Amino acid sequence: MGRSYLGEFEELVLLAVTVLNSGAYGVSIAEELRQRANRTISLSAVHIALYRLEEKGYVTSEMGGATLSRGGRRKRLFSVTIAGREMLAEIQQVRNQFWNAIITPAQS
């Protein structure tokens, strides 16, 4: 299997899953993205990204318990895998290298 790349939206969803830890499911991820990235995002877009991330091995999912607040429906809960954390660290390193290479007016 070759190296996988993440699009910007997939990266944001993976970051949201990481921040939410064990409480990551579609609605909570969309809300986290709305608050932190100031974006209005459809729930279906989040689910599509989550399934892509799961196919790439960056997240896993399991069904949570049924709750009365959801009318007895269960939530699919997502968590980040080791490969997902490694991908985020690699992305951060590449971005930091670019930001550090930018010469600010005070340095020139």
Side-chain angles (χ1 to χ4, degrees):
M1 182 170 123
R3 185 181 183 286
S4 295
Y5 293 93
L6 293 183
E8 189 247 358
F9 187 67
E10 288 177 323
E11 179 186 346
L12 288 175
V13 170
L14 187 57
L15 284 166
V17 172
T18 304
V19 166
L20 291 166
N21 202 6
S22 61
Y25 66 99
V27 172
S28 67
I29 293 166
E31 179 61 22
E32 191 72 21
L33 292 172
R34 187 189 66 75
Q35 288 180 1
R36 292 186 184 267
N38 197 23
R39 289 185 177 187
T40 302
I41 297 165
S42 74
L43 192 53
S44 62
V46 171
H47 282 151
I48 290 168
L50 285 167
Y51 293 129
R52 275 195 221 128
L53 291 168
E54 195 165 28
E55 279 182 10
K56 293 176 180 179
Y58 298 142
V59 298
T60 60
S61 68
E62 63 184 8
M63 295 304 293
T67 62
L68 289 176
S69 65
R70 293 176 43 89
R73 293 180 301 152
R74 299 166 65 190
K75 297 176 187 171
R76 179 168 294 278
L77 299 169
F78 291 87
S79 58
V80 178
T81 64
I82 291 172
R85 290 187 184 279
E86 289 173 351
M87 176 55 85
L88 286 175
E90 184 180 326
I91 290 169
Q92 183 180 28
Q93 182 181 12
V94 169
R95 289 183 180 214
N96 285 344
Q97 287 174 353
F98 274 105
W99 280 107
N100 292 336
I102 294 174
I103 299 172
T104 60
Q107 295 174 325
S108 56

